[in-house]
Amino acid sequence: MLLPALLALFGAASVDAPPPSPGQIAAAAPAVEWIPILSDELLVMTLAPAAGQKVVRRVVIQLIPSPLSAGWVANIRQLVAAHWWDGTSVNRVQDNYVAQWGDATEKKPLPPGLRTMTSIDYPTPWRSLASDTNGLAKPIARWAAGGQSPDVYAPAILWYRGFPLASDAKRVSEGRRVWPVHCYGSVGVGRNLAPDTGSGAELYAVIGHAPRHLDRNIAVVGRVIAGMEFLSSLPRGTGDLGFYEQPSERLAITSVRLASELPAAERPHYAYLSTTGATWPRYVAARRNREPPFFEQPAGAADVCNIPVPIRTERAEK
């Protein structure tokens, strides 16, 4: 009688075992589903060390892939090539909103030949992405359970090469468009009042609740994938909109470089979980349905910004 009792016990334990967490699902993804981020798609921003410390504060930003926000990204590449940000500063930190950097004096000359974009360039035509079947995930217009909308700011959500996007309800034949969204860590282009759209010289990172109302009103050009703590933990500015009132409050930027410009030993290496692979739907489902024993009331839904694409550090190639 002991053996049947043990079998029954272990059988029950296996049935009652909690489902894998989103992190466990991502960690179990096969190597082929982890997509390396090329070194010329990574910006490495080095900030001045804190007073009395020698710790290097390095923020790594992944640029959004073409053709999304292409004109602004081209300008950013030109600014990086000119080492334009060297000696500028983080000059605005607004609580639950953004940390912003650039030339606080607004007098530093910009490199010649920067592109000028208009508000028409905020969204991207669906057709320009649709042929990239390895990069474009199928849009989600309704969650399967209950049929509720997946987003309050757009009729559909999707991902392109690891970046979250939103889409309008138009069919492809009617000119469907997609656009990047503002999530925690997203990097956008500061601008003045419309019709100005910003050159890319003034950038910010979202350090608070996702300000999705900025979607299609400001260009999103990337996301912070490492070193976010060096921006989110900065003292909040006391001036209007969180700007630092005294020059001494600003955090100096030592340099901004493409990772491909750095010596091989200093280049960061990262990969993101494919948003078109077999693991991705399971990961999304787990983010939507957080289950017992901790979650007594699974939500059955998730905001697009609450489905962050996993990023992991990769070993450098020998």
Side-chain angles (χ1 to χ4, degrees), residues 156-169:
I157 59 172
L158 64 157
W159 290 263
Y160 180 67
R161 295 199 172 275
F163 275 83
L165 308 178
S167 176
D168 55 28

mmCIF file with all atom_site columns, all heavy atoms in Angstrom, residues 156-169:
data_model
loop_
_atom_site.group_PDB
_atom_site.id
_atom_site.type_symbol
_atom_site.label_atom_id
_atom_site.label_alt_id
_atom_site.label_comp_id
_atom_site.label_asym_id
_atom_site.label_entity_id
_atom_site.label_seq_id
_atom_site.pdbx_PDB_ins_code
_atom_site.Cartn_x
_atom_site.Cartn_y
_atom_site.Cartn_z
_atom_site.occupancy
_atom_site.B_iso_or_equiv
_atom_site.pdbx_formal_charge
_atom_site.auth_seq_id
_atom_site.auth_comp_id
_atom_site.auth_asym_id
_atom_site.auth_atom_id
_atom_site.pdbx_PDB_model_num
ATOM 1   N N   . ALA A 1 156 ? -4.598 48.210 -31.849 1.00 0.00 ? 156 ALA A N   1
ATOM 2   C CA  . ALA A 1 156 ? -3.814 46.972 -31.878 1.00 0.00 ? 156 ALA A CA  1
ATOM 3   C C   . ALA A 1 156 ? -2.406 47.236 -31.377 1.00 0.00 ? 156 ALA A C   1
ATOM 4   O O   . ALA A 1 156 ? -1.896 48.358 -31.455 1.00 0.00 ? 156 ALA A O   1
ATOM 5   C CB  . ALA A 1 156 ? -3.773 46.391 -33.295 1.00 0.00 ? 156 ALA A CB  1
ATOM 6   N N   . ILE A 1 157 ? -1.768 46.187 -30.854 1.00 0.00 ? 157 ILE A N   1
ATOM 7   C CA  . ILE A 1 157 ? -0.373 46.255 -30.428 1.00 0.00 ? 157 ILE A CA  1
ATOM 8   C C   . ILE A 1 157 ? 0.401  45.139 -31.111 1.00 0.00 ? 157 ILE A C   1
ATOM 9   O O   . ILE A 1 157 ? -0.163 44.114 -31.517 1.00 0.00 ? 157 ILE A O   1
ATOM 10  C CB  . ILE A 1 157 ? -0.235 46.144 -28.900 1.00 0.00 ? 157 ILE A CB  1
ATOM 11  C CG1 . ILE A 1 157 ? -0.829 44.826 -28.393 1.00 0.00 ? 157 ILE A CG1 1
ATOM 12  C CG2 . ILE A 1 157 ? -0.872 47.338 -28.207 1.00 0.00 ? 157 ILE A CG2 1
ATOM 13  C CD1 . ILE A 1 157 ? -0.574 44.552 -26.917 1.00 0.00 ? 157 ILE A CD1 1
ATOM 14  N N   . LEU A 1 158 ? 1.701  45.327 -31.226 1.00 0.00 ? 158 LEU A N   1
ATOM 15  C CA  . LEU A 1 158 ? 2.571  44.326 -31.841 1.00 0.00 ? 158 LEU A CA  1
ATOM 16  C C   . LEU A 1 158 ? 4.013  44.651 -31.476 1.00 0.00 ? 158 LEU A C   1
ATOM 17  O O   . LEU A 1 158 ? 4.281  45.627 -30.775 1.00 0.00 ? 158 LEU A O   1
ATOM 18  C CB  . LEU A 1 158 ? 2.380  44.283 -33.351 1.00 0.00 ? 158 LEU A CB  1
ATOM 19  C CG  . LEU A 1 158 ? 2.765  45.538 -34.151 1.00 0.00 ? 158 LEU A CG  1
ATOM 20  C CD1 . LEU A 1 158 ? 3.068  45.162 -35.611 1.00 0.00 ? 158 LEU A CD1 1
ATOM 21  C CD2 . LEU A 1 158 ? 1.641  46.570 -34.144 1.00 0.00 ? 158 LEU A CD2 1
ATOM 22  N N   . TRP A 1 159 ? 4.932  43.848 -31.973 1.00 0.00 ? 159 TRP A N   1
ATOM 23  C CA  . TRP A 1 159 ? 6.353  44.070 -31.711 1.00 0.00 ? 159 TRP A CA  1
ATOM 24  C C   . TRP A 1 159 ? 7.119  43.923 -33.012 1.00 0.00 ? 159 TRP A C   1
ATOM 25  O O   . TRP A 1 159 ? 6.790  43.089 -33.869 1.00 0.00 ? 159 TRP A O   1
ATOM 26  C CB  . TRP A 1 159 ? 6.882  43.061 -30.690 1.00 0.00 ? 159 TRP A CB  1
ATOM 27  C CG  . TRP A 1 159 ? 6.364  43.295 -29.317 1.00 0.00 ? 159 TRP A CG  1
ATOM 28  C CD1 . TRP A 1 159 ? 6.973  43.960 -28.293 1.00 0.00 ? 159 TRP A CD1 1
ATOM 29  C CD2 . TRP A 1 159 ? 5.108  42.853 -28.784 1.00 0.00 ? 159 TRP A CD2 1
ATOM 30  N NE1 . TRP A 1 159 ? 6.187  43.964 -27.179 1.00 0.00 ? 159 TRP A NE1 1
ATOM 31  C CE2 . TRP A 1 159 ? 5.027  43.291 -27.449 1.00 0.00 ? 159 TRP A CE2 1
ATOM 32  C CE3 . TRP A 1 159 ? 4.025  42.132 -29.313 1.00 0.00 ? 159 TRP A CE3 1
ATOM 33  C CZ2 . TRP A 1 159 ? 3.935  43.040 -26.629 1.00 0.00 ? 159 TRP A CZ2 1
ATOM 34  C CZ3 . TRP A 1 159 ? 2.933  41.877 -28.506 1.00 0.00 ? 159 TRP A CZ3 1
ATOM 35  C CH2 . TRP A 1 159 ? 2.885  42.328 -27.179 1.00 0.00 ? 159 TRP A CH2 1
ATOM 36  N N   . TYR A 1 160 ? 8.150  44.751 -33.173 1.00 0.00 ? 160 TYR A N   1
ATOM 37  C CA  . TYR A 1 160 ? 9.015  44.654 -34.339 1.00 0.00 ? 160 TYR A CA  1
ATOM 38  C C   . TYR A 1 160 ? 10.459 44.599 -33.869 1.00 0.00 ? 160 TYR A C   1
ATOM 39  O O   . TYR A 1 160 ? 10.957 45.524 -33.241 1.00 0.00 ? 160 TYR A O   1
ATOM 40  C CB  . TYR A 1 160 ? 8.821  45.847 -35.278 1.00 0.00 ? 160 TYR A CB  1
ATOM 41  C CG  . TYR A 1 160 ? 9.706  45.787 -36.504 1.00 0.00 ? 160 TYR A CG  1
ATOM 42  C CD1 . TYR A 1 160 ? 9.516  44.797 -37.467 1.00 0.00 ? 160 TYR A CD1 1
ATOM 43  C CD2 . TYR A 1 160 ? 10.742 46.693 -36.687 1.00 0.00 ? 160 TYR A CD2 1
ATOM 44  C CE1 . TYR A 1 160 ? 10.330 44.723 -38.582 1.00 0.00 ? 160 TYR A CE1 1
ATOM 45  C CE2 . TYR A 1 160 ? 11.558 46.628 -37.804 1.00 0.00 ? 160 TYR A CE2 1
ATOM 46  C CZ  . TYR A 1 160 ? 11.354 45.638 -38.742 1.00 0.00 ? 160 TYR A CZ  1
ATOM 47  O OH  . TYR A 1 160 ? 12.159 45.543 -39.851 1.00 0.00 ? 160 TYR A OH  1
ATOM 48  N N   . ARG A 1 161 ? 11.102 43.489 -34.163 1.00 0.00 ? 161 ARG A N   1
ATOM 49  C CA  . ARG A 1 161 ? 12.493 43.262 -33.751 1.00 0.00 ? 161 ARG A CA  1
ATOM 50  C C   . ARG A 1 161 ? 12.706 43.630 -32.286 1.00 0.00 ? 161 ARG A C   1
ATOM 51  O O   . ARG A 1 161 ? 13.682 44.302 -31.920 1.00 0.00 ? 161 ARG A O   1
ATOM 52  C CB  . ARG A 1 161 ? 13.457 44.013 -34.668 1.00 0.00 ? 161 ARG A CB  1
ATOM 53  C CG  . ARG A 1 161 ? 13.412 43.487 -36.111 1.00 0.00 ? 161 ARG A CG  1
ATOM 54  C CD  . ARG A 1 161 ? 14.604 43.857 -36.940 1.00 0.00 ? 161 ARG A CD  1
ATOM 55  N NE  . ARG A 1 161 ? 14.566 43.167 -38.230 1.00 0.00 ? 161 ARG A NE  1
ATOM 56  C CZ  . ARG A 1 161 ? 15.024 41.926 -38.444 1.00 0.00 ? 161 ARG A CZ  1
ATOM 57  N NH1 . ARG A 1 161 ? 15.572 41.260 -37.441 1.00 0.00 ? 161 ARG A NH1 1
ATOM 58  N NH2 . ARG A 1 161 ? 14.948 41.373 -39.641 1.00 0.00 ? 161 ARG A NH2 1
ATOM 59  N N   . GLY A 1 162 ? 11.763 43.196 -31.461 1.00 0.00 ? 162 GLY A N   1
ATOM 60  C CA  . GLY A 1 162 ? 11.883 43.362 -30.027 1.00 0.00 ? 162 GLY A CA  1
ATOM 61  C C   . GLY A 1 162 ? 11.341 44.662 -29.475 1.00 0.00 ? 162 GLY A C   1
ATOM 62  O O   . GLY A 1 162 ? 11.310 44.840 -28.257 1.00 0.00 ? 162 GLY A O   1
ATOM 63  N N   . PHE A 1 163 ? 10.892 45.587 -30.313 1.00 0.00 ? 163 PHE A N   1
ATOM 64  C CA  . PHE A 1 163 ? 10.368 46.865 -29.841 1.00 0.00 ? 163 PHE A CA  1
ATOM 65  C C   . PHE A 1 163 ? 8.843  46.862 -29.859 1.00 0.00 ? 163 PHE A C   1
ATOM 66  O O   . PHE A 1 163 ? 8.232  46.416 -30.845 1.00 0.00 ? 163 PHE A O   1
ATOM 67  C CB  . PHE A 1 163 ? 10.872 48.013 -30.718 1.00 0.00 ? 163 PHE A CB  1
ATOM 68  C CG  . PHE A 1 163 ? 12.224 48.525 -30.322 1.00 0.00 ? 163 PHE A CG  1
ATOM 69  C CD1 . PHE A 1 163 ? 13.370 47.879 -30.757 1.00 0.00 ? 163 PHE A CD1 1
ATOM 70  C CD2 . PHE A 1 163 ? 12.351 49.643 -29.513 1.00 0.00 ? 163 PHE A CD2 1
ATOM 71  C CE1 . PHE A 1 163 ? 14.626 48.336 -30.392 1.00 0.00 ? 163 PHE A CE1 1
ATOM 72  C CE2 . PHE A 1 163 ? 13.596 50.115 -29.138 1.00 0.00 ? 163 PHE A CE2 1
ATOM 73  C CZ  . PHE A 1 163 ? 14.746 49.463 -29.572 1.00 0.00 ? 163 PHE A CZ  1
ATOM 74  N N   . PRO A 1 164 ? 8.198  47.355 -28.798 1.00 0.00 ? 164 PRO A N   1
ATOM 75  C CA  . PRO A 1 164 ? 6.740  47.416 -28.771 1.00 0.00 ? 164 PRO A CA  1
ATOM 76  C C   . PRO A 1 164 ? 6.218  48.523 -29.671 1.00 0.00 ? 164 PRO A C   1
ATOM 77  O O   . PRO A 1 164 ? 6.764  49.629 -29.707 1.00 0.00 ? 164 PRO A O   1
ATOM 78  C CB  . PRO A 1 164 ? 6.429  47.709 -27.296 1.00 0.00 ? 164 PRO A CB  1
ATOM 79  C CG  . PRO A 1 164 ? 7.632  48.460 -26.813 1.00 0.00 ? 164 PRO A CG  1
ATOM 80  C CD  . PRO A 1 164 ? 8.805  47.855 -27.554 1.00 0.00 ? 164 PRO A CD  1
ATOM 81  N N   . LEU A 1 165 ? 5.151  48.207 -30.403 1.00 0.00 ? 165 LEU A N   1
ATOM 82  C CA  . LEU A 1 165 ? 4.525  49.165 -31.311 1.00 0.00 ? 165 LEU A CA  1
ATOM 83  C C   . LEU A 1 165 ? 3.021  49.159 -31.101 1.00 0.00 ? 165 LEU A C   1
ATOM 84  O O   . LEU A 1 165 ? 2.458  48.225 -30.522 1.00 0.00 ? 165 LEU A O   1
ATOM 85  C CB  . LEU A 1 165 ? 4.806  48.812 -32.781 1.00 0.00 ? 165 LEU A CB  1
ATOM 86  C CG  . LEU A 1 165 ? 6.252  48.579 -33.225 1.00 0.00 ? 165 LEU A CG  1
ATOM 87  C CD1 . LEU A 1 165 ? 6.275  48.187 -34.703 1.00 0.00 ? 165 LEU A CD1 1
ATOM 88  C CD2 . LEU A 1 165 ? 7.095  49.818 -32.993 1.00 0.00 ? 165 LEU A CD2 1
ATOM 89  N N   . ALA A 1 166 ? 2.372  50.187 -31.596 1.00 0.00 ? 166 ALA A N   1
ATOM 90  C CA  . ALA A 1 166 ? 0.917  50.236 -31.665 1.00 0.00 ? 166 ALA A CA  1
ATOM 91  C C   . ALA A 1 166 ? 0.532  50.436 -33.118 1.00 0.00 ? 166 ALA A C   1
ATOM 92  O O   . ALA A 1 166 ? 1.352  50.843 -33.943 1.00 0.00 ? 166 ALA A O   1
ATOM 93  C CB  . ALA A 1 166 ? 0.371  51.358 -30.797 1.00 0.00 ? 166 ALA A CB  1
ATOM 94  N N   . SER A 1 167 ? -0.728 50.145 -33.423 1.00 0.00 ? 167 SER A N   1
ATOM 95  C CA  . SER A 1 167 ? -1.192 50.250 -34.802 1.00 0.00 ? 167 SER A CA  1
ATOM 96  C C   . SER A 1 167 ? -2.617 50.767 -34.819 1.00 0.00 ? 167 SER A C   1
ATOM 97  O O   . SER A 1 167 ? -3.380 50.579 -33.869 1.00 0.00 ? 167 SER A O   1
ATOM 98  C CB  . SER A 1 167 ? -1.110 48.884 -35.493 1.00 0.00 ? 167 SER A CB  1
ATOM 99  O OG  . SER A 1 167 ? -1.636 48.950 -36.804 1.00 0.00 ? 167 SER A OG  1
ATOM 100 N N   . ASP A 1 168 ? -2.976 51.432 -35.937 1.00 0.00 ? 168 ASP A N   1
ATOM 101 C CA  . ASP A 1 168 ? -4.351 51.880 -36.091 1.00 0.00 ? 168 ASP A CA  1
ATOM 102 C C   . ASP A 1 168 ? -5.206 50.750 -36.650 1.00 0.00 ? 168 ASP A C   1
ATOM 103 O O   . ASP A 1 168 ? -4.724 49.647 -36.910 1.00 0.00 ? 168 ASP A O   1
ATOM 104 C CB  . ASP A 1 168 ? -4.442 53.133 -36.956 1.00 0.00 ? 168 ASP A CB  1
ATOM 105 C CG  . ASP A 1 168 ? -3.777 52.956 -38.318 1.00 0.00 ? 168 ASP A CG  1
ATOM 106 O OD1 . ASP A 1 168 ? -3.726 51.815 -38.807 1.00 0.00 ? 168 ASP A OD1 1
ATOM 107 O OD2 . ASP A 1 168 ? -3.315 53.957 -38.888 1.00 0.00 ? 168 ASP A OD2 1
ATOM 108 N N   . ALA A 1 169 ? -6.488 51.016 -36.828 1.00 0.00 ? 169 ALA A N   1
ATOM 109 C CA  . ALA A 1 169 ? -7.430 49.959 -37.211 1.00 0.00 ? 169 ALA A CA  1
ATOM 110 C C   . ALA A 1 169 ? -7.572 49.804 -38.710 1.00 0.00 ? 169 ALA A C   1
ATOM 111 O O   . ALA A 1 169 ? -8.301 48.937 -39.170 1.00 0.00 ? 169 ALA A O   1
ATOM 112 C CB  . ALA A 1 169 ? -8.798 50.254 -36.600 1.00 0.00 ? 169 ALA A CB  1
#
